[in-house]
Amino acid sequence: MRRLTRGICALGMALGMSVAAQAQSATQASADIPNAIELLARIDRNQAFTSIEYSARMEIRIGKQLRVKSMKAWALSDKKAFIEFTNPEDSGTRMLKLEKELWMYFPKEQDTVRISGHLLKEGLMGSDLSYEDALESAELSTMYQASVSGEAQVDGRRAFVVELKAKTPQAKYDRRILWVDAERFVVLSEEMYARSGRLLKTSSVKKVERIDGRWYATVVVLEDKLRKDSSTTIIMDSLRLDVALSDELFTRAALER
Amino acid sequence: MNSVTRTVLCATLFATVALSVVMAQESSDREASYKLSGEASVSSIALWSGDGSDDKVFEASDILYGSDTALTLYLDAKRHNIRASFSGRTDIMTGISAPSPATPTTFLIKRAYLRWTPGSFVVTAGRQLINWGAAMLWSPADLFAQTVLTGLTTERQGTDAIRIAMPLGSLGGIEAVGIPGLSFSTGRYGGRLYGYALGSDIGLQAARDLARGETTIAVNIKTDLVLGVWAEASYTFLDDDELKDRFEAIFGADWSVAYRTIISAEYRYNARAVPGEDYPAIHYLFASLGTKLGDFVSLGAGGLIDIANGIVSASLTSAIDVAQDASLALLAQYSNGQFDSLRLVDAVAIGATLSLAF
């Protein structure tokens, strides 16, 4: 999921997710297919940023129902992120991510709460992305073994198929399969499996844009397969990379201002 | 001019002044201006109450009804390092929902403050929520705020105060709060040092009430030990040697079952309550259970118990997400007595609230 959210998801970018670091070792595939570590490193190089700023919409579909959340987000690398929701129901609700800690500010109560324990399992604002997914950090890099298993076509584009296998019981998913755009090095699709083999989550990129010379997924659909008939589409716009952001934004004081 | 009209006029005046101050500032930050949002709701309630005698039996004709149509507005205006925030709620009530037949309409200013941020300092003046505690219902660490319980929902009340805060690191800070009285010698003043260390939220706070002649110190901690746990305690020294000092402590925990059900419980020990308190007994227990019945429906159940006096209130609630930004809340509640007066009287209430945020 870390790869899912970090590699291709706008929200994930603000919350800070890395791709290449997850592959500790890789098996060399055939001569014309790149090494897994090399491939994932290309993805990270393409998407790496020192800072980012954007607006986004989350369209949460459950059956025939649609709920829309809108937000503004800022992030410094993958360590610090600040999100403010702007849709009427959640207006002024803010999130602060500092490394592996997550805090939320609720404006009506003027209260700040650390998201921990059971709350981490909840869907972020009712979406298919959990708080726990958003918090996954670089330490997961030791949890998966990567290999490139072949090639496939995704929406008419050539893609490398990368498999990640959990090396430790602490890994959230036992197995992940990624389809990586062979030309733009963007993760176009991902599947995440439990140890039992059950498919838990999927992601699918619907739009890729070139921003400041790099390719970014700006529309991503996430599906939590444990939920019935649900999906979350994250649409990012007004994206700016490497903007000047103050460290003071990423503090509890800023959360409560 | 009645009190409601006066309050509305005062609120309007504040909002006008706040907006004027903020909007008049020269600023290059043209994106930040003001935002108006709110919530409209309609509630209805039916209540049956005994008279305290054992021979009172339920009769349909004894059921009382009431309704509450409410509008809550939130106004936030900001420029650069100054921000005005206003939240007011108007209720138009009928039947038993009205405080009295003479006051079918009420207006409550929930918050109304200006927040100025010169450098690292944050200065907040006006009615604001001062959240120092982190407990569910009783927070001894909340030296400047009261919490009320409605159904299973707790809400802190605003306090008219001046607060100066300064961050210490990313997650800590120090605060000073003053509630001026008619003179300095009748005010209430306090401070707080808080931070995050070893996976725990920790706070130390103290307050001096010059009018009442008392000093309170308090500590709070909240952490995760498989369960989420929290504890708070306060000790109040009284200047009058003939009166005994007060001690209050709470301990709480929450945990989840299958990630869809959250169970929380909080125990309160209150050695010496102040007359007139909402909860004047020594031992209380508050517990709640919340579970999701689907993506749009949640169910809550909970109870509040005065252990020594055997007073119990049990609630069953449901929240239904009926549309974008709209929800329907249902409530059923039984109690066998009143927690403040300790009077034993059976009461059953059911109610529903439909609300829309905009």
Side-chain angles (χ1 to χ4, degrees), chain A residues 68 101 109-110 116 252 256, chain B residues 115 131 170 196 224 324:
Chain A
V68 178
E101 304 285 353
E109 295 82 13
Q110 291 188 253
S116 61
R252 182 168 172 171
E256 297 172 350
Chain B
R115 179 166 290 170
N131 292 335
S170 296
Y196 180 70
D224 287 316
Q324 173 85 37

Side-chain angles (χ1 to χ4, degrees), chain B residues 40-355:
Chain B
S41 66
V42 177
S43 304
S44 60
I45 189 171
L47 171 71
W48 179 87
S49 177
D51 59 6
S53 63
D54 293 335
D55 55 354
K56 172 85 173 185
V57 295
F58 173 80
E59 291 182 20
S61 59
D62 291 334
I63 298 175
L64 302 175
Y65 300 94
S67 71
D68 181 354
T69 304
L71 175 66
T72 304
L73 292 177
Y74 305 96
L75 171 64
D76 277 290
K78 57 184 176 182
R79 275 294 166 78
H80 259 343
N81 59 353
I82 189 166
R83 173 186 165 198
S85 183
F86 172 83
S87 171
R89 173 178 168 130
T90 300
D91 291 85
I92 302 168
M93 294 167 287
T94 65
I96 57 167
S97 296
S100 75
T103 56
T105 302
T106 61
F107 186 85
L108 172 68
I109 298 176
K110 301 176 81 170
R111 64 174 190 240
Y113 62 80
L114 283 171
R115 179 166 290 170
W116 178 42
T117 312
S120 296
F121 289 92
V122 181
V123 181
T124 308
R127 182 163 299 180
Q128 57 193 289
L129 302 182
I130 302 175
N131 292 335
W132 285 3
M136 289 169 66
L137 178 56
W138 304 285
S139 270
D142 266 339
L143 302 185
F144 289 90
Q146 282 193 316
T147 301
V148 296
L149 176 67
T150 306
L152 292 174
T153 304
T154 59
E155 183 182 14
R156 284 185 176 85
Q157 305 294 290
T159 304
D160 297 313
I162 299 171
R163 177 161 54 156
I164 301 172
M166 187 182 77
L168 296 175
S170 296
L171 295 170
I174 187 167
E175 294 184 6
V177 172
I179 301 178
L182 282 174
S183 66
F184 178 82
S185 61
T186 59
R188 181 176 173 83
Y189 308 92
R192 177 197 189 203
L193 175 67
Y194 67 95
Y196 180 70
L198 303 174
S200 305
D201 290 297
I202 301 168
L204 297 168
Q205 36 269 317
R208 171 71 179 163
D209 191 320
L210 295 175
R212 297 169 74 169
E214 61 183 40
T215 301
T216 302
I217 58 173
V219 61
N220 65 288
I221 184 167
K222 188 170 188 176
T223 191
D224 287 316
L225 299 171
V226 183
L227 307 179
V229 295
W230 60 91
E232 297 185 11
S234 68
Y235 195 93
T236 301
F237 304 88
L238 303 178
D239 292 354
D240 188 340
D241 293 336
E242 294 184 0
L243 298 176
K244 293 186 176 178
D245 296 343
R246 293 196 301 271
F247 175 70
E248 180 185 352
I250 63 100
F251 175 80
D254 63 13
W255 64 99
S256 66
V257 180
Y259 309 129
R260 295 184 73 87
T261 301
I262 299 170
I263 302 170
S264 308
E266 187 172 285
Y267 164 75
R268 181 200 196 200
Y269 174 74
N270 187 21
R272 287 180 194 82
V274 177
E277 272 192 13
D278 291 340
Y279 303 101
I282 298 177
H283 304 284
Y284 289 97
L285 184 66
F286 177 59
S288 71
L289 179 151
T291 188
K292 288 184 177 178
L293 299 182
D295 289 301
F296 297 108
V297 181
S298 62
L299 187 69
L304 175 59
I305 304 171
D306 176 343
I307 297 172
N309 297 293
I311 297 175
V312 176
S313 173
S315 300
L316 187 63
T317 65
S318 180
I320 304 166
D321 186 352
V322 294
Q324 173 85 37
D325 302 321
S327 62
L328 174 66
L330 306 173
L331 167 71
Q333 190 169 46
Y334 164 78
S335 61
N336 69 343
Q338 297 168 346
F339 290 99
D340 51 358
S341 66
L342 305 182
R343 180 170 171 251
L344 291 172
V345 54
D346 290 320
V348 177
I350 58 172
T353 301
L354 180 64
S355 58

Side-chain angles (χ1 to χ4, degrees), chain A residues 39-253:
Chain A
L39 180 59
L40 298 179
R42 288 289 301 269
I43 299 170
D44 255 0
R45 280 201 299 275
N46 179 57
Q47 299 189 342
F49 56 83
T50 55
S51 63
I52 189 171
E53 176 185 66
Y54 63 86
S55 301
R57 277 164 53 90
M58 275 202 308
E59 296 180 350
I60 305 164
R61 294 178 192 278
I62 302 169
K64 294 179 180 177
Q65 299 279 340
L66 173 67
R67 299 290 183 270
V68 178
K69 311 286 183 184
S70 56
M71 70 198 82
K72 291 184 175 179
W74 301 263
L76 281 176
S77 69
D78 62 349
K79 306 296 184 192
K80 300 179 179 181
F82 190 99
I83 294 175
E84 179 166 354
F85 288 86
T86 54
N87 57 294
E89 190 175 24
D90 308 300
S91 180
T93 300
R94 300 173 190 138
M95 290 175 58
L96 171 67
K97 179 204 165 186
L98 293 176
E99 302 283 350
K100 294 195 307 174
E101 304 285 353
L102 190 63
W103 306 76
M104 287 193 76
Y105 173 75
F106 300 96
K108 290 177 185 174
E109 295 82 13
Q110 291 188 253
D111 204 6
T112 301
V113 175
R114 185 164 60 92
I115 305 298
S116 61
H118 59 77
L119 290 175
L120 291 171
K121 303 289 185 184
E122 302 260 323
L124 193 154
M125 306 304 270
S127 73
D128 292 66
L129 180 74
S130 72
Y131 295 100
E132 195 172 55
D133 291 333
L135 273 180
E136 286 187 310
S137 59
E139 74 176 34
L140 289 182
S141 62
T142 60
M143 292 184 178
Y144 293 94
Q145 186 157 16
S147 63
V148 179
S149 59
E151 290 186 21
Q153 293 287 314
V154 178
D155 293 334
R157 295 194 65 84
R158 180 183 174 225
F160 297 121
V161 182
V162 180
E163 293 208 28
L164 297 179
K165 181 67 179 172
K167 292 196 296 185
T168 75
Q170 286 73 38
K172 186 172 179 188
Y173 302 103
D174 183 64
R175 189 167 68 100
R176 303 176 177 187
I177 303 176
L178 286 69
W179 285 262
V180 181
D181 190 303
E183 182 183 350
R184 299 178 298 190
F185 296 98
V186 171
V187 179
L188 299 174
S189 184
E190 183 170 0
E191 294 177 350
M192 286 136 283
Y193 294 87
R195 192 178 305 274
S196 64
R198 183 175 183 178
L199 179 61
L200 296 176
K201 290 194 178 181
T202 65
S203 77
S204 177
V205 169
K206 299 302 178 188
K207 187 177 181 181
V208 176
E209 292 184 71
R210 193 160 179 83
I211 299 167
D212 291 345
R214 288 172 280 182
W215 292 103
Y216 273 88
T218 54
V219 180
V220 183
V221 179
L222 307 173
E223 291 186 20
D224 181 346
K225 295 299 183 182
L226 299 182
R227 298 173 73 180
K228 186 179 177 183
D229 195 16
S230 77
S231 68
T232 298
T233 303
I234 299 175
I235 304 160
M236 178 166 53
D237 59 27
S238 309
L239 188 149
R240 296 169 62 209
L241 294 168
D242 301 331
V243 294
L245 296 176
S246 167
D247 264 331
E248 290 184 3
L249 176 63
F250 304 95
T251 63
R252 182 168 172 171

